[in-house]
Amino acid sequence: MQEALRARRANETAFAFRRGVRYETILFDIESRRPVDVLPDRTSETLAAWLHNHPGVEVVCRVRAGAYARAVKETAPQAIEVADR
């Protein structure tokens, strides 16, 4: 997923292959509408680490989960946040 290095506008969402099984986070590039990375869980620390390694992110569309909000505020304070329903 080489596009992860260039993603400026990211959208994240949690998913599971089967209900009740481990949830992961998938990140999309908003401009290209392509997935750029899959994170192994839904924790603030994991998303924060990804944002730290991709400092060019300008916009983050996210669900209202507190863990995601915390990660963006702490690691990418310059990013504009757009909260999804």
Side-chain angles (χ1 to χ4, degrees), residues 11-14 60-70 73 81-85:
N11 178 43
E12 56 70 23
T13 191
V60 176
C61 298
R62 61 171 183 78
V63 295
R64 295 179 186 258
Y68 293 139
R70 195 168 34 261
K73 283 180 179 41
E81 292 184 70
V82 179
D84 196 357
R85 57 184 169 107

Side-chain angles (χ1 to χ4, degrees), residues 6-18:
R6 296 187 304 266
R8 295 182 314 131
R9 294 175 171 87
N11 178 43
E12 56 70 23
T13 191
F15 75 98
F17 288 108
R18 288 187 313 160

Side-chain angles (χ1 to χ4, degrees), residues 13-84:
T13 191
F15 75 98
F17 288 108
R18 288 187 313 160
R19 185 181 309 182
V21 181
R22 181 187 70 174
Y23 282 86
E24 299 178 10
T25 300
I26 188 166
L27 300 169
F28 291 90
D29 182 317
I30 296 169
E31 294 172 321
S32 70
R33 298 180 182 177
R34 293 177 177 240
V36 292
D37 214 343
V38 177
L39 306 180
D41 56 39
R42 299 184 295 182
T43 66
S44 176
E45 295 81 15
T46 301
L47 181 58
W50 189 91
L51 289 168
H52 177 74
N53 291 326
H54 300 88
V57 175
E58 299 171 354
V59 178
V60 176
C61 298
R62 61 171 183 78
V63 295
R64 295 179 186 258
Y68 293 139
R70 195 168 34 261
V72 174
K73 283 180 179 41
E74 292 174 359
T75 315
Q78 78 289 351
I80 297 170
E81 292 184 70
V82 179
D84 196 357

